[in-house]
Amino acid sequence: MAPKPKIAFFDFAGCEGDQLQVANLEEKLLDLLEHVELVNFREVMTEASDDYDIAFVEGSITRPEDEVRLKEIRSKAKLVIALGACAAIGGVNCMKNFMDDMEVREIVYGDMARAYPTYAARPAKAVVHVDAEIPGCPIDGKEFLRVTKELLLGKPPTLPDYPVCVECKAAGNICRYEQGKLCLGIITRGGCGACCVSEGSHCWGCRGLAPDANLDAARYVMEDQAGFSRIQVQDLMRMYLGYTNAPL
Amino acid sequence: MSAKKATAKTKKAAPKAAPVMGKRVEVKHISRVEGHGNIVVEIDAKNKVKACRWEVPEAPRFFEAMILGKSYTQIHQIVSRICGICSIGHQLCSIQATEDAMGIMVSDQTVRLRKLALHGENLQSHLLHVAYLALPDLMGVGSVIPLAQTHKKELLTLIGLHRMANEFSRATTGRTTHPQRLVPGGFTKVPTEAELRDMKKMLEDSIPGLEAASDLFASVVDKLPNFTRETEYVGLVSPAEYAMYWGEVGSTMDQARPAIYYKDITNEYMVPQSTAKWTKNKGESLMVGALARFNLNHKRLSPLAKGIARKLGLKAPCHNPYYNNLAQLVECAHSVEDSIRLIDEMLNSGIKSETEPKITPRAGKGVGAVEVPRGILFHAYEYDDRGRILNADCVIPTNQNHANIQKDFEALVPTLVDEDEATIELKTSMLVRAYDPCISCSTHFVDMTSAREERRLVKFVRVDD
């Protein structure tokens, strides 16, 4: 029997919610472990090894020293997979990219600000080549299992290329714009089953832009048609989409 | 300035300690905790402790700056991302602060549902910690994975409990991590009566599993080091209940005060031998979390929880920080039983569907204080009249525990000088793990790591007015 592929988890600036989603797979995680060898998962195990095939990377890159660490991981792994919104698209950490760097540091660390190196937050792919992404804040456990299975089978994993609206309609939700609410489902990549809208909220855009998202049309819908102010639209667009080409 | 001096000292000390028969334990990025933390212990040839330090090289994330200018409608969703494990607690604390600032009153149903949400999170976080993170130490393994071979039945029981906790959270808040139903003023969606009955059944069915888990822990309780150090225990207190969602800030050494005085309780000071800032109130350091709550509020635990405390040999006041793991298990039982009580109350009074509450923003300041799995959490906001944040301060439990971990180290390490390095490493790691630190939350708890990754003393710097 061929040796099991070795998989490892690493985290950068993030809340570790995506690794938690993996831990939350419960018995399914034990099933997965029949097919892979977990060699590095600091959040749940003490043993650690630098010998791995697939590296799952969580969190965004916010300091020069993190870049060094990520490049080292890249050099050791056959495949690097960005896990969650922070690693895949930069995520909430990019909100600070719209503020003055020194001011951000001073607000939090006062006169010690200079001691805390940070730069504009960025996704993993801005630093190294990333082989696949599992988006979301947090990731969906089922999608993690599907993508991992595809990787193990040597297939390039694909993500849905349609917007959240498709799944939202299928879920039977009333369009948030019909209710006079702002929603990013119109431009956000599907695959989450519109989970936030179905819970009475609206889409926050955590899975990043859908590949063919029409941002001009989205701006027309949000501002001209639905009447939301520039700042309301900006607040929502900057929460997750801070590291995109979207006009924010 | 003095950070530089300290670095120079450390660098000189390291090569000196090594050649003679001294011991050096360095755990870089301690495992089975959330976030990155390091332990450094140096003992010289004469068994004198030269250094014992708890350090944190986590990347700072600047949440208090990021939420400035943002709307009250979005804040609780942004701060939820401070922590994946206690995202419900951060949301509830944030919502409390917003509601306090804007004078928003909520319904009894909302309060009960929020208490359920908090119980759900307490259960999932505690079970994750005691079963997946702490138990391997007691079983002499490096992770929970080998237990699938040696203790399959017990492991499946624990996994079943953890899954129940996740499903319970999902049924209450819409998601297990970063939930969507909680908003200032109430809920966007509430569980149906049928869902409440299902939740109740799920909780009742989990009781034998909890009993089995406590039997398992009772059988290995002697593996927890017998170490005690008296300290100040801080947590919410209430005459009405085992306080989790609201109450005054109580202490085993001080009078209880409303949450608005949180800065007077978590006040910081400078230590002469380092530039690190620490928190303390009346004692030399303070502890928050399950053990602190147990010490303050044990009389108000549910009967099942009291029984499990007896079975585990946990008695208040308990000054053994390692027993925090036991207090977590006791709290799991309390959360299950109290949730059943809350569900019964809601079934009796009938569940009303809620629509997202209408709020007219107004200028004001507000403080939220909620007990999250790792201890008391404070969020304080100031809003302008459009409902946008002018000032924000978040004080996270792991920060409050930092000085206490260090003081425990200072008392513990001298008792370990005769042990081998592996034992010192295990016992200090277990101590840190007992606190269940959540370092990725600790926005103010980072060391002064330079670009060249030199070792520095831990910094604890927070926003001041």
Side-chain angles (χ1 to χ4, degrees):
Chain A
M1 204 177 87
K4 291 179 186 175
K6 297 186 170 91
I7 69 168
F9 288 83
F10 300 97
D11 42 58
F12 291 88
C15 73
E16 299 193 15
D18 303 308
Q19 289 187 71
L20 182 66
Q21 291 298 91
V22 176
N24 282 350
L25 290 171
E26 321 285 6
E27 291 94 339
K28 288 204 191 78
L29 184 59
L30 292 184
D31 293 343
L32 176 66
L33 291 174
E34 306 264 311
H35 304 282
V36 297
E37 188 186 342
L38 190 55
V39 299
N40 209 322
F41 195 172
R42 189 196 41 75
E43 201 175 78
V44 300
M45 64 193 279
T46 293
E47 297 88 353
S49 157
D50 279 341
D51 175 21
Y52 40 81
D53 302 302
I54 306 177
F56 289 96
V57 171
E58 186 193 40
S60 46
I61 307 303
T62 61
R63 294 179 300 185
E65 69 229 58
D66 297 336
E67 262 189 38
V68 177
R69 198 173 138 235
L70 180 58
K71 284 177 181 160
E72 203 182 305
I73 292 167
R74 173 74 266 183
S75 71
K76 288 177 183 154
K78 290 195 187 87
L79 297 171
V80 171
I81 316 300
L83 197 62
C86 289
I89 58 168
V92 291
N93 295 315
C94 293
M95 274 189 283
K96 80 176 172 61
N97 298 2
F98 298 94
M99 304 169 84
D100 180 80
D101 171 56
M102 208 51 217
E103 199 186 329
V104 169
R105 287 153 72 174
E106 267 175 31
I107 288 166
V108 180
Y109 295 107
D111 55 7
M112 303 296 287
R114 281 176 196 283
Y116 296 87
T118 186
Y119 63 29
R122 58 202 68 182
K125 65 185 168 204
V127 178
V128 295
H129 170 70
V130 168
D131 299 283
E133 287 174 5
I134 302 175
C137 181
I139 59 159
D140 180 89
K142 282 197 234 74
E143 190 166 63
F144 169 81
L145 286 174
R146 175 178 64 80
V147 170
T148 308
K149 197 162 123 189
E150 285 167 344
L151 291 169
L152 295 178
L153 293 170
K155 278 168 57 178
T158 53
L159 295 171
D161 57 2
Y162 49 77
V164 169
C165 292
V166 172
E167 290 168 350
C168 199
K169 295 289 163 295
N173 294 319
I174 299 169
C175 178
R176 286 301 173 252
Y177 286 96
E178 290 291 322
Q179 298 180 327
K181 287 182 186 161
L182 193 54
C183 180
L184 292 188
I186 51 177
I187 50 170
T188 303
R189 189 195 284 275
C192 54
C195 57
C196 298
V197 189
S198 301
E199 293 302 336
S201 187
H202 55 78
C203 176
W204 304 86
C206 75
R207 290 175 60 88
L209 291 176
D212 295 320
N214 186 338
L215 295 172
D216 282 342
R219 180 198 293 262
Y220 173 75
V221 168
M222 294 190 279
E223 292 182 24
D224 300 344
Q225 238 190 359
F228 290 100
S229 69
R230 181 81 202 109
I231 181 112
Q232 284 173 307
V233 173
Q234 195 176 65
D235 274 351
L236 207 50
M237 295 278 278
R238 286 184 177 182
M239 187 163 158
Y240 283 104
L241 304 174
Y243 203 86
T244 59
N245 298 324
L248 304 175
Chain B
M1 289 298 167
S2 44
K4 268 191 186 149
K5 265 189 220 161
T7 313
K9 254 189 207 166
T10 319
K11 270 165 74 188
K12 267 184 211 155
K16 255 190 202 167
V20 252
M21 296 291 286
K23 293 170 202 162
R24 184 177 169 84
V25 171
E26 193 173 340
V27 185
K28 196 173 178 202
H29 298 175
I30 175 174
S31 59
R32 285 184 276 130
V33 300
E34 221 217 355
H36 298 104
N38 303 331
I39 298 169
V40 176
V41 172
E42 283 171 31
I43 296 164
D44 72 8
K46 291 178 189 139
N47 272 357
K48 191 161 182 294
V49 179
K50 301 302 265 186
C52 59
R53 287 196 306 274
W54 165 231
E55 308 177 334
V56 173
E58 184 76 23
R61 294 174 69 213
F62 304 99
F63 271 92
E64 285 141 330
M66 288 199 302
I67 59 176
L68 294 184
K70 301 284 192 298
S71 162
Y72 73 96
T73 54
Q74 215 176 341
I75 299 301
H76 65 288
Q77 281 295 335
I78 301 175
V79 297
S80 167
R81 271 70 187 178
I82 291 175
C83 178
I85 293 185
C86 32
S87 56
I88 296 176
H90 275 287
Q91 286 201 1
L92 286 174
C93 195
S94 172
I95 288 170
Q96 267 190 4
T98 298
E99 289 171 347
D100 186 28
M102 297 186 186
I104 301 163
M105 301 295 282
V106 298
S107 68
D108 287 350
Q109 175 174 300
T110 289
V111 171
R112 286 193 185 111
L113 280 169
R114 285 180 181 173
K115 287 181 177 176
L116 277 188
L118 215 46
H119 279 318
E121 172 172 275
N122 211 41
L123 278 166
Q124 39 159 312
S125 177
H126 279 358
L127 287 164
L128 178 85
H129 185 245
V130 294
Y132 298 176
L133 311 185
L135 181 65
D137 285 328
L138 306 179
M139 309 301 272
V141 286
S143 79
V144 77
I145 297 162
L147 300 181
Q149 255 72 53
T150 57
H151 294 78
K152 186 143 194 179
K153 186 166 157 268
E154 290 87 344
L155 183 61
L156 287 179
T157 301
L158 291 165
I159 289 177
L161 286 171
H162 188 238
R163 195 187 49 235
M164 179 281 295
N166 278 332
E167 275 165 18
F168 174 44
S169 294
R170 191 177 304 127
T172 319
T173 69
R175 272 196 342 199
T176 53
T177 308
H178 307 313
Q180 292 298 317
R181 291 184 184 176
L182 309 166
V183 285
F187 277 73
T188 57
K189 190 175 175 182
V190 295
T192 61
E193 224 181 271
E195 282 170 334
L196 281 177
R197 286 187 204 285
D198 287 349
M199 278 151 71
K200 185 181 167 186
K201 168 125 200 338
M202 205 160 71
L203 289 159
E204 283 170 346
D205 290 349
S206 76
I207 292 173
L210 271 175
E211 294 280 5
S214 50
D215 287 338
L216 176 67
F217 272 83
S219 71
V220 288
V221 80
D222 58 331
K223 299 276 191 315
L224 288 171
N226 183 15
F227 164 76
T228 56
R229 187 182 70 86
E230 273 193 52
T231 189
E232 180 177 2
Y233 297 93
V234 172
L236 286 180
V237 290
S238 160
E241 61 189 350
Y242 191 89
M244 297 290 285
Y245 177 68
W246 57 23
E248 293 199 310
V249 187
S251 154
T252 47
M253 293 187 184
D254 200 4
Q255 61 184 341
R257 277 174 286 187
I260 196 167
Y261 297 109
Y262 75 100
K263 280 197 174 187
D264 298 336
I265 299 152
T266 59
N267 46 45
E268 299 160 333
Y269 67 104
M270 301 293 289
V271 201
Q273 70 271 27
S274 90
T275 55
K277 273 189 186 175
W278 307 60
T279 60
K280 76 165 185 178
N281 183 30
K282 296 287 180 200
E284 62 172 358
S285 59
L286 59 88
M287 182 174 184
V288 297
L291 187 64
R293 292 190 287 258
F294 177 83
N295 279 338
L296 285 160
N297 301 320
H298 60 98
K299 287 192 183 127
R300 295 185 180 80
L301 281 167
S302 75
L304 181 68
K306 282 181 179 162
I308 286 185
R310 267 193 301 277
K311 192 188 284 181
L312 294 167
L314 183 66
K315 282 196 214 86
C318 169
H319 300 125
N320 183 345
Y322 290 97
Y323 279 24
N324 193 45
N325 291 332
L326 304 182
Q328 288 175 319
L329 207 49
V330 169
E331 281 196 344
C332 287
H334 177 79
S335 280
V336 164
E337 225 169 18
D338 199 47
S339 297
I340 294 172
R341 180 186 66 83
L342 287 161
I343 291 173
D344 279 339
E345 281 179 7
M346 276 191 282
L347 289 172
N348 281 338
S349 57
I351 190 105
K352 291 164 216 65
S353 75
E354 281 191 35
T355 48
E356 195 168 340
K358 286 265 172 295
I359 291 168
T360 315
R362 70 171 204 206
K365 288 183 181 183
V367 176
V370 165
E371 283 289 347
V372 295
R374 284 153 202 82
I376 192 164
L377 168 68
F378 302 100
H379 280 227
Y381 305 144
E382 183 181 357
Y383 280 104
D384 70 9
D385 53 8
R386 298 168 307 157
R388 289 183 174 270
I389 291 225
L390 292 170
N391 273 303
D393 187 19
C394 311
V395 183
I396 281 137
T398 292
N399 289 347
Q400 300 170 61
N401 274 335
H402 165 58
N404 213 60
I405 296 178
Q406 180 65 36
K407 292 281 170 197
D408 279 352
F409 266 13
E410 288 166 17
L412 173 72
V413 172
T415 68
L416 301 176
V417 289
D418 295 323
E419 309 273 9
D420 56 32
E421 288 181 353
T423 309
I424 298 172
E425 177 174 335
L426 177 68
K427 290 196 173 169
T428 50
S429 297
M430 279 172 74
L431 178 76
V432 173
R433 261 178 225 130
Y435 281 82
D436 193 7
C438 192
I439 304 161
S440 50
C441 311
S442 321
T443 46
H444 315 294
F445 179 30
V446 290
D447 82 347
M448 313 273 285
T449 312
S450 74
R452 285 180 294 131
E453 286 241 329
E454 281 181 346
R455 188 169 297 291
R456 303 270 181 93
L457 289 176
V458 173
K459 290 291 137 202
F460 180 54
V461 186
R462 237 197 46 208
V463 189
D464 283 318
D465 281 349

